[in-house]
Amino acid sequence: KMPRNNSRRGTNGSSSLLKLIASLIIDAIGALTYLLPFLGEFADTVWAPISAFLIYRMYGSVLWAGAGFMEEILPGLDIVPTATLAWLNERWGIANWIRGRR
């Protein structure tokens, strides 16, 4: 069972829920570019820096923002929910849990 980490700013109650909803929207917009024939890759080049900026503003992490940028800019990776993974990391510390530092 992953530990719950409520010690960080923005991880309690409604604030955390709002961040999750915002993260899901960011990831959904990124995935929706697949629905734009021929414009999808152009849309990704526009959305990548916006997505990275939003992830950075919400989670304060250059690493997660960079991952979000790369996920959007590289072909075929739009399905990865980077913003939601950043939320999971903030909420439950999944990066440490994956590395075995429970």
Side-chain angles (χ1 to χ4, degrees), residues 13-55:
S14 63
S15 176
S16 181
L17 180 60
L18 291 175
K19 275 187 166 182
L20 173 60
I21 292 168
S23 295
L24 291 169
I25 291 170
I26 290 168
D27 290 332
I29 291 170
L32 286 175
T33 60
Y34 272 133
L35 298 177
L36 303 171
F38 306 111
L39 295 176
E41 292 307 316
F42 173 73
D44 281 343
T45 61
V46 173
W47 179 245
I50 296 168
S51 173
F53 173 78
L54 293 172
I55 292 170

